Structure formats: structure tokens, C-alpha cells
Amino acid sequence: MARYLITRAGQSLLTLVLATVVVFLGMRALPGDPALALAGEDRSPAGLAAVRHEYGLDQSLPAQFLHFVTHALHGDLGTSVRTGLPVSSMLGAALPVTVELSVLAIVLATLVGVGAGVLAAVRRGRPAEWFANGLALVGLSVPHFWLGLLAILYLSVATGLFPASGFVSLFDDPLGNLHHIILPAVILGTGLAAVIMRQTRSSMLDSLSADYVRTAKAKGLRPGAVIGRHALRNSLIVVVTIVGLQLGGLISGAVVTEQIFGLPGFGKMTIDAVFQRDYPVIQAVVLITATAYIVINFLVDLLYSVIDPRIRVAGEA
Amino acid sequence: MSVVEATPVTVAAPEPGRGVRLVRRLLHNPLAMTSLVVLLVAVVVAVASPWLAPYSPEQTDFSHTFSPPGTPGHLLGTDDLGRDVLSRLMLGARASLEVALLAMATAMVVAVPLGLAAGYFRRWDAVISRFTDLLLAFPFLILAVGLAAIRGASLGNAAIAIGIAQVPSVIRVVRSDTLHLKSLDFVAASIADGAGDLWVLGRHVLPNATSVILVQATVALPAAILGEAVLSFLGLGIQPPSPSLGTMLATAQQFAARAPWAAVLPGVVIMVLALAFNVFGDALRDALDPRGSRR
């Protein structure tokens, strides 16, 4: 176990370092002088010199990289050229919104996806399975931002059941917060629910035809117990992996969903930054996303190996 | 030279008539055929759209803005600038398919050789696997954001971002299939026979990995269509006034309550295209599944 842990941690760390290099070089690949991009409006020679010094652009490339990394490690991700605020404090305000949205979407998608997947596997060849399969295919094929648009048009504007945009903090007004975020979370969760459903169904079908399930049935266990305690438990491993793998898609989806519902999260900040050519913010956003992805997938792997000992053994081999 | 020439070991790998069986299975699947017909119609309309479209997609007509569907001369209505929605949908679908094909081709060209190499050469496996991890760390939209920041927003850059985002999963699938093929007797026999690595890869591994690659390509297309729509919707893809299903939705959002058709129809086209690819992809995978069962 320890060896597997160390190998995985080493791999993750290496990926993280490489990702940092990519982000750093990406900034240098910008057309023109990066100082011009970083300086924003202030393009006086003195202003540019100050920016060059602040970002270490007057130093050699390796020194610049070291400068970038040490500052990032100290939580200093630069200053937004548009708002003049430290990027870290902008992130501090935006990230909780996105995390809340994503967690809620994952929870909803898992509940619906696992439920529908089990139903489809147990009711194989019956209308319930066709219905669940069809729904999953549509869920995979529908553009979520369009679904969001329709939801705003027909649920928010027409009936007034949900607010069309805006956000209140979870800590100021929990109920109002839920009211604002539930519709975006449902929309964001649709695709994930479809993927989870298909995987759950497929691995449940495998489990249901496995010997240990036949044994469980043969010794007279109730069908509910066979499905819940034996078949489903093994299928859940797949769900954990899927959520990890789909994280990138979820982050992309969150960006779009926030844009449509006007949620002041990470995604909206990203898109605004691109159109305002706010390079320090873009750089931070890319770096934070890559880091989050790597760290969360490392944790998913750990969780995975805790649930299924076979993985650890294979990893050590 | 009295040494007996070693006859080349030829162990029959692909059973004859595999392609015929595949086509027959697909022909007997009504869902597969329906989706194929939908796709063929879409491709024909997309290719012929410059001639088929009743209006130029960029032609504005300020005396006929927001005409509802069914208006004489505008079957699917007009938008805020009086542009014909049907014409824009046709050319938008064309752009979607272009980006999807370009993205899929990018993904395959990059990922298939890397997947083969990772599965075949043990020494390369670790390097390519780290590369895969690295790519995965940049979600598709973040990649597109970075690319748009560096190179500007355009159809080509959108396709590259979408294609690169699909590279890791294709590498993984091709790698695992290569690992499996490498362990089979006919490949081992060929290696034992002294065949060079490139020969074995090109002659034995790649042809037998075709079905897996084909399925991956079919899976990549609907994802690319959705990806293009998202990027264009956000303004990171095809730039207005060029018609794209995503940009149509972005502008329609502003007057959705007044002209809901302009907000509904492009989404329906995206969904139908993606659904047809997904259904056909599922059918193809089922037909290629040696177990022959519907999973």
C-alpha cells in the first residue's frame, strides 16, 4: 500500500510540475511582450518597468520560473489588470460558488445515475430499461447550456418558480442560496448523470451474472439484498472512478452553466478574463484548475484503492 | 546455402468476412439505420448548404425581424436582424460538422500513434502516460481558454482545443488494446519470426485495433459537436457573423422570450446531430462486440 501510495504521489507531483511549466511557458507564448499584456492600461515606460520587475520578467527564464513558482506557492497569483484586485482574493470569492455548484451537481447526478442504472440492469429488456437508456442517450447528446437556456425561458421567466440569475451566499441565506443554485446544479448534473447511469447499468449487468451473486441468490437472499448488498456495492467502485474522470468535463460545464445563470463563480471569472485580456487571471485560472484536477484525481485513486484492494496489489506489481 | 528457409509464420488473425458480418448486424439494427439516415441527410444538407439555403445566412432584412416560423418565405422564421433561421441552421450545421471532423482527425492523428507506442514499447509507456496525465489536467474549456488567449478565437483553434482534449482517452483505449493484441499468439509469432517492430505494428496490431479506433472516432464526434457549440456560444469558437449553432444560441439568448424559436431550433439541431452519432456509435460498438450481446 505504502509503495503504491508513494508511486502515485510521485506521479501526481511530476504532472503538477509539468503542468506548471506548461502554464508558465503558455504565458510566454503570448503574442508580443508579456509585460504589455500584464500591465493592462498603464503602458508608460515606468509602469512597464515596474511590471517587468514585479513578475521578474527582467530575469532569465529559469529565474522567472522560480519567481513564478515561489510566488504562486505563497498564494501570490498576481494582480488582475482589470479590477486591480489580487487574483487570489478574486479566486477566494469565486471558488466557493463553483465548488458548491459542482458538489451539488455530483450528488444529484450520482443519485439519479445510480438509481436509473440499477433500474435498467434489474429490469433488463423491459420498458423501464428502454426508457432509462433513451434518457441517458439524450442526456449525453443534449447541449447543457441550451437546456439551461430553456430552463430559464420556461421555468424561471414564464413561471417565476426559480430566479433566472443572481446568487446569494450560503452563509447569508441558505434557503435562498439553494433556490438560486438548484436549477444550475440540475442542468450541470445532466451529462454526468447520463454517464454514471450507463456505467452503473453495464457494471451491474456484469455483477448480476457473476458467481457470487448467483451464490447469494441460491442461499435464499431476498432480491433487494442481493442487488443492494452484493451487486451494487461492487458497481459503486465504477462510479467513484467515473466521477474522477469526468471532473474535467464538470469544470468545463460549470464555466458555461455559471455564464448562463449569471453565477459569480470561477467560470464567469474565467470567461470575463479572456474577453478583457486579463492575463494574470487567465494564468491563475489555468494553474488552479490543473492543480485541482491533479489533486482530486490523486484522492480518487486513493479512495479507489481503499475500496478495492485488487487495485493496490496491481499497482504494486 | 542448404539451410531450409523458414517459412513465414502466418497465423490467421482476422477471421474472414468480419466486415460483412459487421455490416449485416448494423443493417438489422433499426436504431443504427435510423441514425445513419439522419447523419447522411445532415451531411448532404451540410455539404450542399451554400446552394440549398434559401438565403445567404448573413443577409439581414430589418423590415422582417422576428418573423415566426411558417412566415411565407421564411419556413423557420427570422432572427433579430431579419436573417433567415433555416439558412443559418443549415450553414451552422455545416460548421459544426467541419469542426467535429477536424477535431476528431486531430485527436486520432495525435493519439493513435501514441497509444500504439505506449502499448507496444514498454520504455515509452511511462513517458506517454505522464503526457496523458498532463493533458487530462487541462479540461477542454480551460485548454480552449488558454488557446484563445494565445492564438485568438477561431474555428480552427476551437477544433484543435476539442481535438487535444480528446487525445488522452483515445491514447488510453488504443494503448490497452495494443497491450492485449501484443499478448496474442499471432503477434508473438510474428515477433519470433524476426519481424521488425514497425512491421508488426503496421501489419498486425494496427489493422486489428481498427475496430476500437473506429468506435473511439464515433464517440469523439458527438463530443466535438457539443464542444463546438459550447465554445461558439461563449464566443471562443466561430466568430459572428459566420453562422454557427453555438453563436446562434448566444444571440438568441438575448431575445429568447420574444423569439423562442431562435433559441429552441439550434439546440434541437445540435441535439439531433449528437444523438445520431451517439446512437450509431453505440450500435457500432454492439456490432463489434465479440460477445454479440447488447451492453
Side-chain angles (χ1 to χ4, degrees), chain A residues 11 14 19 30-31 124 140-141 143 145-146 149 153 198 201-202 205-206 248 252 255-256 274-275 279 286 290 293, chain B residues 130 134 136-139 141 145 149-150 226 230 233-234 249 253 256-257 263-264 267 270 274-275 278 282 285 294-295:
Chain A
Q11 285 171 352
L14 179 64
L30 287 174
R124 195 167 184 204
L140 279 185
S141 309
F145 63 97
W146 178 62
L149 261 169
L153 194 60
R198 283 162 67 103
R201 169 177 168 273
S202 148
L205 284 178
D206 281 340
S252 298
V255 172
V256 192
V274 175
F275 289 112
Y279 291 110
V286 180
Y293 187 89
Chain B
R130 291 293 78 70
L134 179 64
L136 275 174
F138 297 101
L141 204 68
V145 162
I150 295 171
L226 293 178
V230 165
F233 178 76
L234 293 173
L249 283 174
Q253 186 186 14
V264 172
I270 299 170
L275 192 61
N278 273 326
D282 273 7
R285 191 170 29 209
R294 254 189 65 76
R295 301 304 299 272

Side-chain angles (χ1 to χ4, degrees), chain A residues 125-170:
Chain A
R126 306 228 201 120
E129 191 205 7
W130 303 332
F131 183 69
N133 279 348
L135 215 57
L137 265 171
V138 172
L140 279 185
S141 309
V142 69
H144 305 117
F145 63 97
W146 178 62
L147 219 53
L149 261 169
L150 294 186
I152 292 177
L153 194 60
Y154 293 109
L155 286 179
S156 301
V157 177
T159 68
L161 279 176
F162 298 96
S165 71
F167 184 73
V168 285
S169 161
L170 180 63

Side-chain angles (χ1 to χ4, degrees), chain A residues 275, chain B residues 58 152-155 231-232 234-244 247:
Chain A
F275 289 112
Chain B
E58 291 166 27
S154 71
L155 184 149
L231 290 185
S232 297
L234 293 173
L236 297 172
I238 296 167
Q239 296 299 303
S242 294
S244 135
T247 42

Side-chain angles (χ1 to χ4, degrees), chain A residues 177-195:
Chain A
N177 168 275
L178 196 66
H179 194 208
H180 273 92
I181 213 159
I182 190 80
L183 198 54
V186 168
I187 300 288
L188 178 59
T190 326
L192 187 63
V195 177

Side-chain angles (χ1 to χ4, degrees), chain B residues 284-295:
Chain B
L284 189 67
R285 191 170 29 209
D286 288 345
L288 286 167
D289 190 344
R291 286 174 293 183
S293 60
R294 254 189 65 76
R295 301 304 299 272

Side-chain angles (χ1 to χ4, degrees), chain A residues 8-247:
Chain A
R8 269 305 280 127
Q11 285 171 352
S12 299
L13 201 64
L14 179 64
T15 314
L16 192 57
V17 171
L18 289 175
T20 315
V21 174
V22 169
V23 174
F24 170 78
L25 289 178
M27 243 355 234
R28 271 70 197 164
L30 287 174
D33 186 349
L36 272 178
L38 291 167
E41 301 292 313
D42 181 13
R43 298 194 161 181
S44 65
L48 286 180
V51 167
R52 279 201 188 92
H53 185 71
E54 192 195 332
Y55 287 90
L57 294 172
D58 45 5
Q59 296 162 11
S60 70
L61 215 56
Q64 282 183 40
F65 181 67
L66 205 66
H67 182 271
F68 171 65
V69 171
T70 43
H71 277 245
L73 283 177
H74 285 95
D76 175 9
L77 294 163
T79 311
S80 161
V81 297
R82 292 293 149 171
T83 63
L85 295 169
V87 177
S88 48
S89 67
M90 289 171 71
L91 280 171
L95 271 179
V97 180
T98 308
V99 171
E100 192 196 340
L101 175 68
S102 309
V103 169
L104 200 57
I106 291 174
V107 170
L108 290 172
T110 308
L111 288 178
V112 174
V114 170
V118 170
L119 188 75
V122 174
R123 298 249 180 272
R124 195 167 184 204
R126 306 228 201 120
E129 191 205 7
W130 303 332
F131 183 69
N133 279 348
L135 215 57
L137 265 171
V138 172
L140 279 185
S141 309
V142 69
H144 305 117
F145 63 97
W146 178 62
L147 219 53
L149 261 169
L150 294 186
I152 292 177
L153 194 60
Y154 293 109
L155 286 179
S156 301
V157 177
T159 68
L161 279 176
F162 298 96
S165 71
F167 184 73
V168 285
S169 161
L170 180 63
F171 302 104
D172 294 345
D173 176 6
L175 269 181
N177 168 275
L178 196 66
H179 194 208
H180 273 92
I181 213 159
I182 190 80
L183 198 54
V186 168
I187 300 288
L188 178 59
T190 326
L192 187 63
V195 177
I196 292 179
M197 180 268 159
R198 283 162 67 103
Q199 285 294 338
T200 307
R201 169 177 168 273
S202 148
S203 74
M204 274 295 282
L205 284 178
D206 281 340
S207 304
L208 286 175
S209 61
D211 289 342
Y212 65 85
V213 167
R214 197 159 11 135
T215 311
K217 272 188 206 158
K219 70 181 183 189
L221 272 184
R222 283 173 302 108
V226 176
I227 293 163
R229 213 175 303 153
H230 293 272
L232 182 60
R233 183 178 276 186
N234 266 288
S235 304
L236 281 182
I237 295 166
V238 178
V239 175
V240 174
T241 325
I242 289 294
V243 172
L245 282 173
Q246 292 289 317
L247 203 66

Side-chain angles (χ1 to χ4, degrees), chain B residues 259-275:
Chain B
W261 59 90
V264 172
L265 292 172
V268 172
V269 174
I270 299 170
M271 191 173 80
V272 168
L273 285 177
L275 192 61

